[in-house]
Amino acid sequence: MGRYENIIVISPDCSKEEEEELLKRIRANLEKFGSTILRMDDWAVRKLAYPIKKKEKGHYFFLLLEADEANMANINKFYKTLDMVLRHMLVRVDDKQNGLEKPPDHVVFDELEGEFSN
């Protein structure tokens, strides 16, 4: 068993009820694959760095998992079957890490664009 950080970006078009149902389904399937969810944080709707599936924003969720490395392929396949999940990322971390204390600050990309133009 190892510790993994899992970031999920969900389409902002889904309703609150659809989002809750999707998160229940994700929790159930992660537990089915033998994972334990240690922490789950809602990082709010944020502007994406680039459009994904013609969406400019996404609802970010952070999960800290204890999972068996053998099940990572199954978890990745599961996420790919979910239409409302725009992106997901699983990263193995040190077993002592508990994730970020608070969500990362919002970055406004429009402000950064002017810094690099001539």
Side-chain angles (χ1 to χ4, degrees), residues 6-38:
N6 181 203
I7 297 177
I8 306 165
V9 182
I10 297 175
S11 173
D13 295 340
C14 66
S15 67
K16 194 68 174 166
E17 294 81 25
E18 290 173 324
E19 189 175 276
E20 289 173 8
E21 187 63 36
L22 179 63
L23 291 174
K24 283 181 191 175
R25 186 173 170 201
I26 289 171
R27 278 191 206 107
N29 276 288
L30 288 173
E31 290 171 2
K32 181 179 111 180
F33 292 129
S35 301
T36 305
I37 299 174
L38 303 174

Side-chain angles (χ1 to χ4, degrees), residues 1-116:
M1 295 286 272
R3 192 166 281 195
Y4 293 85
E5 288 183 350
N6 181 203
I7 297 177
I8 306 165
V9 182
I10 297 175
S11 173
D13 295 340
C14 66
S15 67
K16 194 68 174 166
E17 294 81 25
E18 290 173 324
E19 189 175 276
E20 289 173 8
E21 187 63 36
L22 179 63
L23 291 174
K24 283 181 191 175
R25 186 173 170 201
I26 289 171
R27 278 191 206 107
N29 276 288
L30 288 173
E31 290 171 2
K32 181 179 111 180
F33 292 129
S35 301
T36 305
I37 299 174
L38 303 174
R39 184 170 153 194
M40 183 171 186
D41 294 334
D42 181 349
W43 282 0
V45 176
R46 297 165 175 262
K47 187 174 191 283
L48 300 171
Y50 54 89
I52 302 172
K53 296 183 183 176
K54 298 182 182 178
K55 307 283 189 242
E56 297 289 329
K57 294 184 178 187
H59 196 154
Y60 284 73
F61 288 92
F62 170 84
L63 287 82
L64 185 65
L65 308 171
E66 287 257 338
D68 189 16
E69 188 174 344
N71 289 325
M72 287 300 111
N74 291 331
I75 292 171
N76 278 320
K77 286 179 188 176
F78 165 69
Y79 279 129
K80 290 179 183 179
T81 65
L82 302 173
D83 292 334
M84 296 307 282
V85 174
L86 300 177
R87 287 283 190 273
H88 73 279
M89 182 174 64
L90 283 159
V91 177
R92 182 164 181 146
V93 295
D94 186 22
D95 290 339
K96 296 175 187 170
Q97 291 183 344
N98 292 322
L100 298 171
E101 293 295 319
K102 65 178 188 85
D105 294 330
H106 285 278
V107 175
V108 180
F109 293 102
D110 296 337
E111 292 176 5
L112 297 176
E113 289 177 6
E115 293 180 19
F116 302 106

